Structure formats: structure tokens, C-alpha cells
């Protein structure tokens, strides 16, 4: 290779020195052979100087995090859905969700939000092949029944999110009222939210026929409920308010002596032989003993049912923001009509053995936030 003319002299001098050095070595040819075989020593490369130390450091950090629990070596399994739903909902939707859910005690903003995500994934783009439109997936037929111009913009459309959320609330509350009546008269059993979602999926007739959440609607109910954790904050006016527990002993004794003959929980029914949840507590009392309301409220049902016999249901409004009801069954006679306002201790009926019963007793239930709960912790210690 030729260098620039300015360096020619220096190159010639270097060549001469090199030739003299080579000539002075014994076995010049052998030396050249040795150099051909022996690898030429080089300085450390970029990988050794920069990349390798970084990899060693990173490996050490990861190992330390695994050992200390700061990093799991395996991905989490069956983890609950994160709060991604709250970030997918436009902030302007929340007031409408709350307004829509306020139409009945069964619904909450979180239930509506989870239902909308299951129905459409909050997509409001185009009409689907099924004919469903908007975030609440309304067909034209259902929209004619439930749709209104709720936001006052001059048009009623399933593609208008505010209109759609309000319409879905109206439809769900209508279904909730029907399944509440079915449960009150003993036709069905189960959580009111579950029953309402099931009625949305397959209709109230199918729910009534099954007597519970029908098998064909269980997947839909499970999918909606799995999404609820994403929207729990929607149910709190103050997101930092974490109070979510039953308030404890706030109810008076419905009969004078609380002799428990059958506790709340799973049991085999003495007449039907079916093992299922015993939804209340049976208090053994003599025929004709006085039964009184456990708290102030309003009578929402008073009548004869097939399973519970003469039955009274009292609505006590809300406690800790959640609806509370008590029920009194197998009565020999009723002492209050529907719509009557009662106080704690107001006589509402007499102990009997009507309906599916093996003897005189009071079947007493507490329904909190739409579901049955053990009545005993609710009853005052002085009872």
C-alpha cells in the first residue's frame, strides 16, 4: 500500500531497520512461520470493556431482587384484573353512571360499568353485525323501550354514551324489581345482582323457572362480576373511603327468646332433602308468639308464599351506603299490610308453621347489599 508522498522517506527508513532486524535473527524463515501460527495479541474489545460489565451488573441486580422478594422469578398466576378499567372510562361518564344506578338499590355504578365493558369494551365506534349499537349494545327494538334523550341534546341515540348509560340503568332496574319480587315471594333464591344480570342475559321467565341463576346465564354473570374490581372506586363518593363492612349488631330481637333450632349456612332441608344454603336462622317459638320488626323501615311484602308460608319483608333503607332488608317467614298470621311504616319492636305477625315447615318457628333473614348474610352478628347482644 502506498502512503502519501510526505511519508515516503520515513517508510523507507522503517523498512531498512526492519530488514536489518530480521537478518540478525537466527532462522528468519522459522520466525516468520512462528508469527503466522501464533495469534496476534490485541487489546480488549468493545464487548469486554462496555457490554460485559453491564451484563454482569444487571444479572447481579436481578438476582438480588429475586432473593429479596422484590422480583418474582415466575409471572403471577390467576392474578385479579388490575384497575385498567378506570383508565378506559371517560371522566365525564362517571356522573351518568352514578345517576343511572341511583334509580334502584340493586344497581351500583361499578355493576353498570362492568356490564358495559363486557358488552362492548366501551367501544362506541360502529354498529355490530348483531345489530347492537353503542357502548351499551342496544338493538333498535330494545332502544324503543328504554331509550330517551337523557342529556337533552335534542336526540335520543344508543350511540350517545349518556343516553345509553341511563337506558341500561332503566332496563336493569326494571329487571331488578322483577327478580326482587320473585325472591321475596320465594320463587327464586340468590344474590339480587346475580339474578338481575341473569335476567338481562336470558329473561326473567328463565330465572323464575330455574329458581336461581339459570345455567345458560352463568358465564355472562361470571364475566361481568370478574370485571367489578376494576370499578370499585366508582361506588364511593370519596375514593379514599374504604369502609366496606357490615356495621354489626344493630337489629333488635324479632322474637322474645332467641332459641336457634337451625343456623345460617349449608344444610339438608328436612322436608325436601335438598342440600343448599339455609338463608336465615330458625328461632324455635311457640305457636302464636309475637314477631316484631327488628328495626325501623317500611313493609314491602306481606303475603302467602309457597315455600315460606306467610311472609313479611321490611326494607330498612341503607346502612353504610348499602341496602338492608329483614324477612319473617312461616307466620300463622300477618299484622301489617304492604306500605306500612314500622319501628323496631312494631308487631308484624305471629309465629306459625305455614309453608314448608316442620313445626312452629320463625325463619328470620337479613339481606344486606342484595345478598343473604348470617343474621346472628346483626342482632344486639342484649337481645
Amino acid at each position: 500500500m502506498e502512503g502519501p508522498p510526505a511519508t515516503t522517506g520515513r517508510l523507507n527508513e522503517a523498512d531498512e531497520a526492519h530488514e536489518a532486524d530480521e537478518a540478525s535473527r537466527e532462522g528468519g524463515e522459522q520466525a516468520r512461520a512462528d508469527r503466522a501460527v501464533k495469534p496476534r495479541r490485541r487489546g480488549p474489545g468493545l464487548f469486554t470493556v462496555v457490554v460485559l460489565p453491564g451484563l454482569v451488573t444487571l444479572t447481579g441486580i436481578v438476582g438480588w431482587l429475586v432473593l429479596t422478594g422484590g422480583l418474582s422469578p415466575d409471572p403471577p398466576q390467576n392474578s385479579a384484573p388490575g384497575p385498567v378499567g378506570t383508565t378506559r372510562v371517560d371522566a365525564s361518564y362517571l356522573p351518568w353512571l352514578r345517576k343511572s344506578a341511583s334509580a334502584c338499590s340493586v344497581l351500583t355504578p361499578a355493576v353498570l360499568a362492568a356490564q358495559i365493558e363486557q358488552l362492548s369494551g366501551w367501544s362506541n365506534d360502529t354498529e355490530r353485525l348483531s345489530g347492537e349499537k353503542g357502548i351499551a349494545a342496544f338493538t333498535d327494538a330494545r332502544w324503543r323501550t328504554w331509550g330517551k334523550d337523557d342529556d337533552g341534546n335534542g336526540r335520543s341515540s344508543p350511540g350517545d354514551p349518556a343516553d345509553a348509560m341511563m337506558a341500561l340503568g332503566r332496563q336493569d332496574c326494571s329487571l331488578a324489581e322483577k327478580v326482587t319480587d320473585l325472591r321475596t315471594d320465594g320463587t327464586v333464591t340468590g344474590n339480587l345482582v346475580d339474578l338481575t344480570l341473569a335476567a338481562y342475559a336470558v329473561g326473567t321467565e328463565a330465572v323464575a323457572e330455574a329458581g336461581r341463576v339459570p345455567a345458560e346465564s352463568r358465564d355472562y354473570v361470571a364475566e361481568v362480576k370478574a370485571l367489578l374490581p376494576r370499578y370499585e372506586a366508582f361506588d364511593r363518593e370519596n375514593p379514599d373511603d374504604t369502609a366496606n363492612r357490615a356495621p354489626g349488631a344493630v337489629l333488635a330481637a324479632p322474637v322474645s327468646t332467641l332459641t336457634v333450632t337451625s343456623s345460617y349456612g349449608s344444610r339438608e332441608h328436612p322436608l325436601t332433602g335438598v342440600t343448599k344454603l339455609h338463608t336465615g336462622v330458625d328461632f324455635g317459638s311457640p305457636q302464636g308468639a309475637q314477631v316484631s320488626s327488628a328495626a325501623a323501615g317500611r313493609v314491602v311484602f306481606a303475603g302467602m308464599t309457597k315455600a315460606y308460608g306467610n311472609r313479611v319483608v321490611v326494607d330498612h333503607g341503607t346502612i353504610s351506603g348499602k341496602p338492608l332488608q329483614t324477612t319473617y317467614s312461616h307466620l300463622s298470621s300477618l299484622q301489617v299490610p304492604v306500605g306500612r311504616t314500622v319501628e323496631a319492636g312494631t308487631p308484624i305477625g305471629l309465629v306459625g308453621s305455614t309453608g314448608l315447615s316442620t313445626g312452629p318457628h320463625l325463619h328470620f333473614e337479613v339481606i344486606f347489599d342484595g345478598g343473604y348474610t348470617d343474621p346472628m352478628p346483626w342482632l344486639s347482644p342484649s337481645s
Side-chain angles (χ1 to χ4, degrees):
M1 179 178 68
E2 293 184 359
T7 64
T8 302
R10 288 194 296 273
L11 289 173
N12 289 337
E13 291 174 0
D15 289 341
E16 290 172 359
H18 179 68
E19 289 172 1
D21 181 69
E22 288 295 313
S24 66
R25 294 184 183 181
E26 180 179 355
E29 292 297 328
Q30 182 63 43
R32 283 192 294 272
D34 290 342
R35 286 196 299 272
V37 174
K38 185 177 181 180
R40 186 178 179 181
R41 184 177 180 181
R42 299 179 180 177
L46 178 63
F47 179 87
T48 304
V49 174
V50 179
V51 178
L52 184 58
L55 289 175
V56 172
T57 302
L58 180 60
T59 302
I61 292 173
V62 172
W64 180 82
L65 288 173
V66 170
L67 290 174
T68 59
L71 182 67
S72 173
D74 298 312
Q77 301 295 321
N78 300 322
S79 56
V84 296
T86 57
T87 63
R88 298 174 60 184
V89 181
D90 190 296
S92 65
Y93 290 1
L94 183 53
W96 290 107
L97 288 169
R98 286 178 170 165
K99 182 177 181 181
S100 181
S102 68
C104 61
S105 61
V106 173
L107 287 185
T108 68
V111 171
L112 285 174
Q115 192 176 8
I116 290 172
E117 180 167 346
Q118 194 282 337
L119 291 170
S120 70
W122 294 98
S123 172
N124 201 35
D125 295 338
T126 58
E127 181 175 346
R128 299 163 186 82
L129 293 177
S130 61
E132 298 170 337
K133 303 174 182 178
I135 61 172
F138 273 96
T139 61
D140 288 340
R142 286 197 299 118
W143 188 255
R144 284 192 290 271
T145 301
W146 305 109
K148 293 181 182 179
D149 177 20
D150 287 284
D151 59 3
N153 66 355
R155 64 188 182 93
S156 168
S157 169
D160 186 322
D163 292 352
M165 287 182 279
M166 292 298 294
L168 181 61
R170 278 190 291 272
Q171 181 179 8
D172 282 355
C173 282
S174 174
L175 294 171
E177 183 178 357
K178 292 177 181 177
V179 298
T180 298
D181 289 343
L182 290 173
R183 194 180 73 171
T184 297
D185 66 20
T187 302
V188 303
T189 185
N191 180 280
L192 285 178
V193 172
D194 294 356
L195 293 168
T196 299
L197 292 172
Y200 177 91
V202 298
T204 53
E205 291 184 3
V207 173
E209 183 177 351
R212 57 181 60 84
V213 172
E216 60 269 28
S217 66
R218 288 174 189 164
D219 286 347
Y220 173 75
V221 174
E223 289 169 8
V224 173
K225 296 192 76 174
L227 296 169
L228 282 176
R230 301 184 178 192
Y231 303 100
E232 286 178 342
F234 287 9
D235 291 347
R236 299 192 296 268
E237 289 295 333
N238 177 7
D240 295 327
D241 179 13
T242 57
N244 193 35
R245 297 184 297 272
V250 296
L251 300 178
V255 287
S256 60
T257 303
L258 298 180
T259 303
V260 177
T261 57
S262 184
S263 302
Y264 173 88
S266 180
R267 71 161 191 181
E268 180 180 306
H269 195 281
L271 292 178
T272 66
V274 175
T275 298
K276 60 186 244 183
L277 175 67
H278 184 226
T279 54
V281 172
D282 290 347
F283 295 123
S285 295
Q287 180 81 12
Q290 184 64 62
V291 176
S292 304
S293 178
R298 184 175 66 87
V299 176
V300 294
F301 180 86
M304 174 61 74
T305 69
K306 181 178 180 180
Y308 293 116
N310 283 318
R311 177 173 169 89
V312 172
V313 180
V314 179
D315 187 344
H316 304 289
T318 61
I319 294 182
S320 297
K322 300 178 185 297
L324 175 68
Q325 291 183 334
T326 54
T327 76
Y328 313 78
S329 298
H330 305 302
L331 304 175
S332 60
S333 64
L334 305 172
Q335 296 176 321
V336 288
V338 172
R340 173 72 58 83
T341 298
V342 296
E343 300 295 330
T346 298
I348 59 175
L350 302 177
V351 169
S353 185
T354 55
L356 293 178
S357 171
T358 58
H361 72 285
L362 172 66
H363 177 74
F364 177 69
E365 296 172 335
V366 173
I367 303 172
F368 184 58
D369 196 24
Y372 298 103
T373 186
D374 186 355
M376 296 307 292
W378 290 79
L379 294 172
S380 301
S382 58
S383 298

